[in-house]
Amino acid sequence: MGSGSSTEAEIPNVTPIVDQEELVRPIKENGRYRNPFPTYEDRGFTHLMRLMKDFALNNISGIPWNNKEELDKTLPVLKPDIETLAAGEKSNNLRAVWMGHACVLVKVDDLVVLTDPVWGYKCGPLGKMGAKRYRPPPCSIDELPELDAVVISHNHYDHLEYSTVVKLNKRFGKNLHWFVAEGQAKWMRDAGCEMVTELTWWEEASLEKHGHKYTIAATPSQHWCQRTATDRDKALWASWVVQGPRHNFYFAGDTGYCFGFRQIGRKYGPFSLAAIPIGAYHPRWFMRPQHCNPEEAVEMHVDLRARRSLAIHWGTYVMTVEPYMEPKTKLADAVAARGLHEAAFTTVRHGEVLDLDSETVEDR
């Protein structure tokens, strides 16, 4: 395993995009979805073979697998203060915990939401293959507060894990409302989920909880879906908006950079908080259509009109070959280069509780 920094000299940092006023819709042909974005390109078998060679010859991730002390220093995992997150004297507040990878536990006013929950050591079929976790979850599922809703961005194993879904269902049952993109509801119900709402891009659902009415909306992202050899893109992928009486939260899930984020910002922004992916981006020739890099993530933050953004999709599972701490460094550099305040878009420690109650949309 080498060391160093990923290079992208031959490719611009941010893909030029073409915006449009009409809301973008997913394309469905012969039972399969397609991205409508000009920034998307499919990757086939020959690309995969080249990628495998890159992984073998150019892996500069530098993860210190056998040095827990070093990992605890570079990526500390805190035990989250669940009482601080879920309770407190004030209602209508905004608090969030990064649980690792794309999983965020967020309290939007009085609604407690979990995004893309994955607790497994390996994310792949039967939990025996796929990407390995090098940072543990900050807490167990049994230690979570009472949850109201879960939003799922897409069906890849690092964002949707069967054993985690089963454990959440066992604990919360019909009190937990699952929100998924079109084509995913049957899988969720087969896994034991009782309350499932399936939406396509720009569709909205109302959720009445704790004396308030919340809007949950599915919004575009640039990605793809697959869990078996034969189900490629038979389910849709999405990002999510959670609107409360006072705060507005956005979850990007997993995505490449596209013009859809400007449309989301115009329709639903500004956002009190956005959770935006910054990792698993190298090599760029393969990852660009499906995973944004830190520079593109900052453009997403601007497009979405987010007051604060939280970095996700990094520092948890080994998935690509960039140096494992590079996303954090590049994000800070990109924020500075864009002329944003250093607190506008940041990384946080696993398990750290962010109390953002004072930072409302009205403060913009």
Side-chain angles (χ1 to χ4, degrees):
M1 186 175 293
S3 62
S5 176
S6 60
T7 58
E8 304 174 19
E10 76 282 7
I11 303 175
N13 279 335
V14 178
T15 306
I17 64 172
V18 179
D19 198 2
Q20 62 185 49
E21 291 298 323
E22 183 180 353
L23 294 179
V24 66
R25 309 287 179 178
I27 300 168
K28 190 175 183 181
E29 296 175 342
N30 301 318
R32 299 180 191 269
Y33 295 90
R34 288 198 296 111
N35 280 285
F37 304 108
T39 42
Y40 185 76
E41 297 174 352
D42 274 323
R43 294 293 184 248
F45 181 76
T46 56
H47 297 103
L48 184 60
M49 291 300 99
R50 182 183 166 192
L51 178 67
M52 298 300 288
K53 183 178 179 181
D54 259 14
F55 268 51
L57 299 179
N58 302 310
N59 191 335
I60 56 174
S61 63
I63 299 169
W65 288 97
N66 298 319
N67 192 339
K68 184 178 181 299
E69 183 178 346
E70 178 66 17
L71 282 171
D72 287 342
K73 179 181 177 181
T74 56
L75 284 171
V77 179
L78 309 181
K79 192 75 170 180
D81 183 348
I82 296 299
E83 289 188 4
T84 298
L85 172 88
E89 296 180 359
K90 292 185 291 183
S91 62
N92 291 344
N93 48 29
L94 179 65
R95 294 170 180 152
V97 180
W98 181 43
M99 305 298 284
H101 201 51
C103 185
V104 180
L105 180 62
V106 60
K107 184 173 184 284
V108 184
D109 299 322
D110 291 318
L111 193 75
V112 181
V113 180
L114 194 63
T115 71
D116 285 4
V118 175
W119 255 255
Y121 172 67
K122 283 192 176 181
C123 46
L126 305 175
K128 297 182 182 298
M129 53 190 90
K132 291 193 298 184
R133 180 188 286 269
Y134 58 94
R135 289 282 75 193
C139 70
S140 70
I141 289 175
D142 287 339
E143 292 172 313
L144 290 173
E146 290 299 316
L147 298 178
D148 297 306
V150 178
V151 294
I152 302 292
S153 64
H154 65 298
N155 69 4
H156 284 163
Y157 286 95
D158 60 314
H159 294 257
L160 178 63
E161 182 188 49
Y162 179 78
S163 64
T164 296
V165 171
V166 169
K167 291 174 184 176
L168 287 169
N169 280 327
K170 183 178 179 181
R171 174 148 184 229
F172 299 107
K174 64 182 179 181
N175 294 322
L176 187 56
H177 200 130
W178 299 78
F179 291 88
V180 297
E182 199 171 67
Q184 195 59 44
K186 182 182 184 303
W187 188 97
M188 304 304 299
R189 294 190 179 103
D190 288 345
C193 303
E194 298 183 53
M195 296 289 291
V196 182
T197 296
E198 182 179 276
L199 302 175
T200 192
W201 295 353
W202 309 114
E203 280 190 326
E204 299 177 352
S206 293
L207 187 62
E208 293 191 19
K209 289 276 189 176
H210 314 297
H212 297 301
K213 184 178 180 180
Y214 298 85
T215 296
I216 314 292
T219 45
S221 62
Q222 181 176 284
H223 207 60
W224 55 287
C225 280
Q226 186 170 13
R227 287 184 76 86
T228 72
T230 60
D231 70 348
R232 174 72 181 243
D233 296 338
K234 288 187 176 181
L236 183 61
W237 45 96
S239 57
W240 293 93
V241 172
V242 180
Q243 290 184 321
R246 183 171 176 228
H247 294 99
N248 197 11
F249 171 67
Y250 173 78
F251 172 62
D254 200 354
T255 184
Y257 182 54
C258 62
F259 68 74
F261 303 112
R262 290 183 184 174
Q263 295 192 344
I264 296 167
R266 285 197 297 263
K267 183 172 177 62
Y268 290 110
F271 291 97
S272 313
L273 177 67
I276 299 176
I278 67 166
Y281 52 79
H282 190 73
R284 292 305 285 149
W285 66 264
F286 187 90
M287 295 296 173
R288 175 178 290 275
Q290 55 194 311
H291 290 167
C292 60
N293 63 16
E295 294 88 351
E296 292 165 331
V298 170
E299 294 307 306
M300 287 174 58
H301 165 87
V302 173
D303 291 349
L304 291 163
R305 299 194 295 148
R307 177 174 178 82
R308 286 287 305 273
S309 288
L310 165 68
I312 61 170
H313 207 264
W314 79 285
T316 309
Y317 287 99
V318 56
M319 303 183 68
T320 46
V321 298
E322 71 269 8
Y324 80 107
M325 292 300 292
E326 184 181 88
K328 177 178 181 176
T329 302
K330 283 198 167 187
L331 177 64
D333 291 344
V335 167
R338 199 61 166 77
L340 302 174
H341 189 282
E342 63 180 8
F345 189 172
T346 60
T347 60
V348 297
R349 296 172 293 180
H350 294 75
E352 180 179 357
V353 178
L354 297 178
D355 189 343
L356 303 170
D357 183 56
S358 61
E359 301 188 6
T360 65
V361 172
E362 292 76 13
D363 291 332
R364 284 183 60 86

